[in-house]
Amino acid sequence: MYIAVQNVCNENSDVWSAMPAFTTAFNEFETILAQIDAQSQIQKGSTTGITQNKQKEEDEMIQATVEIAAAVYAYASQSGDNELRNKVNYSPSALGELRDTVLKDVCQSIHDQANNIITQLADYGKTPQDLTQLQSEIDDFTAIIAKPRTAIGTRATATTRLVELFSQADAILKNQIDKLMVTYQNSRAEFYNKYQNSRTIVDLGTRKNPETPPQP
């Protein structure tokens, strides 16, 4: 159900992206889904998927960071702020060579520098929503970088954590996204109906008919 909701929302991002509350809630939801995926891999006793997820999150974070950094660099150059320009002067390859914890801190610093001048960055094609997305990427990366080198914990711990994550995901859907979807019930009925369908859990298990005798 979570994946179905994620897919429907991503396919219709042009509908809700202008609503900051929806954007924030959906970014939080996706962050939790990434954590659920990581914990699921732990529960299965495999770290291969986590390592792959870590690389994926790193690539996405770096891409989002360099786009913001480029806009800040251009602004700093135009305004003659050499100090700011030096703080965001990172290429994708330079970021990729940094250790995980340093990389996270550098990306966070670039985000924070951009946040200080986000109004001015409108002329450079960057919006608060872009910063929200970057913060989401940083949070996703932060959530996963420690897992491979800490032996991932135990399956029992992962199971407990999954219960917590499921509860958090359910709360975001029920208390935020479900409520915000009401806005689109009439204006964007197709999106609304697809969302409602995605929220329905389908049991694909086989149910035995009590009146049918067991087959040999």
Side-chain angles (χ1 to χ4, degrees):
M1 182 270 288
Y2 294 155
I3 294 173
V5 167
Q6 183 183 35
N7 288 339
V8 168
C9 288
N10 279 326
E11 290 169 0
N12 294 273
S13 60
D14 59 310
V15 177
W16 53 263
S17 58
M19 185 190 295
F22 199 116
T23 299
T24 298
F26 185 66
N27 285 339
E28 291 176 358
F29 178 66
E30 288 204 304
T31 296
I32 292 173
L33 292 194
Q35 294 176 14
I36 287 175
D37 185 60
Q39 292 297 325
S40 178
Q41 295 293 336
I42 294 170
Q43 192 182 48
K44 295 173 183 176
S46 171
T47 62
T48 301
I50 295 172
T51 302
Q52 293 173 341
N53 285 343
K54 174 181 172 292
Q55 187 60 55
K56 174 177 176 293
E57 298 298 346
E58 178 177 329
D59 292 344
E60 291 177 351
M61 180 181 68
I62 288 176
Q63 180 60 36
T65 298
V66 296
E67 291 180 10
I68 294 294
V72 176
Y73 187 96
Y75 165 81
S77 297
Q78 192 278 331
S79 60
D81 191 338
N82 293 328
E83 181 180 0
L84 176 58
R85 186 171 66 177
N86 290 334
K87 287 181 179 179
V88 300
N89 187 20
Y90 288 90
S91 66
S93 59
L95 290 172
E97 293 174 356
L98 298 176
R99 291 184 291 109
D100 290 343
T101 53
V102 176
L103 172 61
K104 171 184 71 70
D105 291 342
V106 169
C107 291
Q108 187 65 61
S109 175
I110 291 173
H111 169 280
D112 295 345
Q113 295 297 329
N115 192 52
N116 291 334
I117 57 168
I118 187 58
T119 301
Q120 294 91 318
L121 290 182
D123 290 341
Y124 295 81
K126 295 304 171 186
T127 67
Q129 286 71 32
D130 294 318
L131 286 187
T132 297
Q133 182 60 38
L134 173 55
Q135 187 62 62
S136 177
E137 300 294 354
I138 294 171
D139 292 343
D140 289 349
F141 183 72
T142 301
I144 205 170
I145 56 176
K147 301 187 186 306
R149 62 175 189 271
T150 56
I152 316 304
T154 65
R155 292 185 181 182
T157 301
T159 299
T160 300
R161 180 60 179 148
L162 280 170
V163 173
E164 296 171 352
L165 291 169
F166 292 150
S167 179
Q168 292 173 19
D170 289 341
I172 289 175
L173 291 176
K174 180 179 179 181
N175 300 325
Q176 296 185 60
I177 298 180
D178 284 358
K179 301 301 182 184
L180 295 173
M181 282 299 303
V182 175
T183 299
Y184 306 112
Q185 186 170 3
N186 293 320
S187 62
R188 299 304 291 265
E190 182 178 0
F191 171 41
Y192 177 84
N193 291 332
K194 286 183 178 179
Y195 177 84
Q196 296 303 323
N197 289 336
S198 72
R199 289 284 278 126
T200 303
I201 299 175
V202 179
D203 183 1
L204 299 179
T206 301
R207 180 174 300 172
K208 294 182 179 179
N209 186 336
E211 297 179 0
T212 302
Q215 299 298 312

